[in-house]
């Protein structure tokens, strides 16, 4: 681990390389708005306690962009359940039924099915680590109709199977599991067959995988160098050619592909552990662009299929609970 002086110098050098708008005083509401509006406009809160959610997050768009699927803790309960919301009508449907705990939902590319992870057991109230999910036993991946009916388990057994997402053609599902005693990444056909282990590390957490829009790459996060020091990695769809994308002393996690396949958005603690922000990273040039500035948690970004909307989890609301927010997203000509 580098010294505190090195950390200070590193952070200062990063600030010096950022454009002037990124160095504005972020405690000033007008400066925050001005900085965010460079890439995010029409920021709207999508979920709230008034809807019956103590907290909500990790949302993803349906292929046609009209609906989102997300996890939320209903008022008075302790565990996440899975819901969908029609963005126009605001109709909310509870997808998970009779589950102790749920997480990690996603739409199939043709919009015909959904997947989510569920366990009959309740999650522990506190995970063992600040940056690791509670690995609830018997957490398995289910495929279901859009209303949650006919849920069918694609994985089985006492291990943790979650953090799942379809490929863009809907033929495969990538997920994370501790099936072999360590948290690794797996790939299977969308019917649950032909399960292949892609990473084979021990003593670290490989998780949060997503398949690229052209179905050739997978991005994920892992703490391979130091415990809990999450960084972003990329590998080929077969698990070969693992490349480290971020390499700094921040916690970098929750990567998600931009539809152009050239960029990813991710969550970082670069500005402090009570001030997580979302950055866009160009995989070809390594250019980084800061997208959020509100001085609170901002993370778990997800784009719609067209790449012109961003959905993310934030505590920027009046009650400071974790809720979903959405905005129109754009890049400038010199960033494309």
């Amino acid at each position: 681990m580098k010294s505190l002086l090195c950390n200070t110098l590193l952070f200062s050098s990063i600030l010096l390389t950022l454009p002037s708008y990124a160095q504005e005083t972020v405690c000033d509401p007008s400066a925050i708005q001005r900085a965010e509006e460079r890439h995010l406009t029409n920021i709207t809160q999508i979920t709230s306690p008034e809807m019956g959610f103590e907290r909500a997050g990790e949302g993803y768009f349906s292929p046609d962009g009209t609906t989102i699927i997300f996890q939320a803790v209903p008022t008075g309960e302790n565990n996440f359940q899975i819901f969908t919301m029609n963005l126009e009508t605001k109709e909310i449907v509870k997808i998970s039924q009779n589950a102790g705990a749920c997480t990690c939902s996603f739409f199939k590319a043709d919009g015909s099915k959904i997947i989510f992870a569920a366990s009959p057991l309740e999650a522990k109230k506190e995970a063992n680590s600040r940056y690791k999910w509670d690995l609830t036993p018997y957490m398995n991946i289910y495929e279901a109709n859009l209303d949650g009916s006919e849920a069918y388990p694609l994985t089985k057994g006492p291990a943790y199977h979650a953090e799942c997402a379809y490929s863009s053609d809907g033929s495969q599902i990538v997920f994370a599991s501790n099936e072999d005693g360590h948290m690794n990444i797996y790939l299977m056909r969308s019917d649950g067959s032909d399960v292949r282990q892609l990473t084979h590390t021990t003593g670290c957490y490989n998780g949060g995988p997503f398949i690229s829009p052209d179905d050739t790459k997978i991005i994920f996060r892992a703490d391979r160098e130091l415990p809990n020091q999450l960084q972003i990695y990329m590998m080929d769809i077969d698990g070969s050619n693992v490349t480290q994308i971020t390499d700094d002393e921040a916690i970098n996690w929750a990567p998600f592909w931009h539809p152009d396949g050239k960029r990813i958005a991710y969550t970082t603690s670069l500005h402090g552990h009570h001030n997580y922000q979302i950055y866009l990273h160009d995989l070809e040039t390594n250019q980084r662009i800061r997208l959020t500035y509100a001085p609170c948690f901002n993370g778990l970004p997800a784009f719609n299929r067209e790449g012109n909307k961003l959905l993310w989890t934030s505590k920027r609301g009046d009650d400071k609970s974790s809720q979903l927010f959405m905005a129109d997203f754009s890049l400038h000509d010199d960033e494309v």
Side-chain angles (χ1 to χ4, degrees), residues 122-183:
E122 293 192 357
K124 295 178 182 178
K125 290 187 178 180
E126 294 183 2
N128 294 329
S129 168
R130 187 175 179 181
Y131 305 111
K132 291 184 180 179
W133 285 210
D134 174 46
L135 305 182
T136 309
Y138 291 94
M139 182 70 75
N140 281 292
I141 299 169
Y142 290 78
E143 185 175 66
N145 296 326
L146 298 181
D147 61 358
S149 63
E150 299 183 6
Y152 177 80
L154 301 177
T155 63
K156 298 178 181 179
Y160 169 90
H161 311 84
E163 303 169 33
C164 47
Y166 285 104
S167 60
S168 67
D169 65 4
S171 67
Q172 300 188 89
I173 295 172
V174 67
F175 65 99
S177 176
N178 58 2
E179 182 76 36
D180 73 339
H182 305 275
M183 281 302 303

Side-chain angles (χ1 to χ4, degrees), residues 58-96:
E58 194 177 359
Y60 302 101
F61 288 98
S62 62
D64 63 6
T66 63
T67 304
I68 60 171
I69 192 166
F70 60 98
Q71 61 185 36
V73 176
T75 303
E77 298 186 20
N78 297 316
N79 291 275
F80 283 104
Q81 299 295 321
I82 304 300
F83 298 85
T84 59
M85 178 192 295
N86 183 295
L87 292 172
E88 182 177 351
T89 67
K90 307 304 180 186
E91 179 187 7
I92 296 171
V93 177
K94 183 179 181 182
I95 298 301
S96 53

Side-chain angles (χ1 to χ4, degrees), residues 162-163 174-176 185 205-210 218-221 254-256:
E163 303 169 33
V174 67
F175 65 99
I185 293 173
Y205 193 130
N206 300 280
F210 288 96
I218 294 173
I219 50 168
F220 63 101
R221 45 95 174 150
F256 193 87

Side-chain angles (χ1 to χ4, degrees), residues 99-244:
C102 298
T103 189
C104 306
S105 53
F106 210 73
F107 282 99
K108 197 170 186 177
D110 63 2
S112 64
K113 297 284 186 178
I114 56 171
I115 50 174
F116 63 94
S119 172
L121 305 177
E122 293 192 357
K124 295 178 182 178
K125 290 187 178 180
E126 294 183 2
N128 294 329
S129 168
R130 187 175 179 181
Y131 305 111
K132 291 184 180 179
W133 285 210
D134 174 46
L135 305 182
T136 309
Y138 291 94
M139 182 70 75
N140 281 292
I141 299 169
Y142 290 78
E143 185 175 66
N145 296 326
L146 298 181
D147 61 358
S149 63
E150 299 183 6
Y152 177 80
L154 301 177
T155 63
K156 298 178 181 179
Y160 169 90
H161 311 84
E163 303 169 33
C164 47
Y166 285 104
S167 60
S168 67
D169 65 4
S171 67
Q172 300 188 89
I173 295 172
V174 67
F175 65 99
S177 176
N178 58 2
E179 182 76 36
D180 73 339
H182 305 275
M183 281 302 303
N184 278 295
I185 293 173
Y186 294 76
L187 190 70
M188 65 181 174
R189 296 189 185 279
S190 59
D191 62 1
S193 65
D194 191 22
V195 178
R196 290 145 282 163
Q197 186 172 345
L198 301 183
T199 63
H200 298 82
T201 61
T202 61
C204 72
Y205 193 130
N206 300 280
F210 288 96
I211 301 173
S212 62
D214 65 1
D215 294 334
T216 65
K217 304 283 186 181
I218 294 173
I219 50 168
F220 63 101
R221 45 95 174 150
D223 55 349
R224 296 191 171 196
E225 299 297 324
L226 290 171
N228 302 328
Q229 194 75 24
L230 297 172
Q231 299 294 330
I232 309 299
Y233 292 80
M234 181 171 65
M235 62 184 172
D236 290 347
I237 192 76
D238 62 0
S240 63
N241 297 320
V242 177
T243 302
Q244 187 169 345

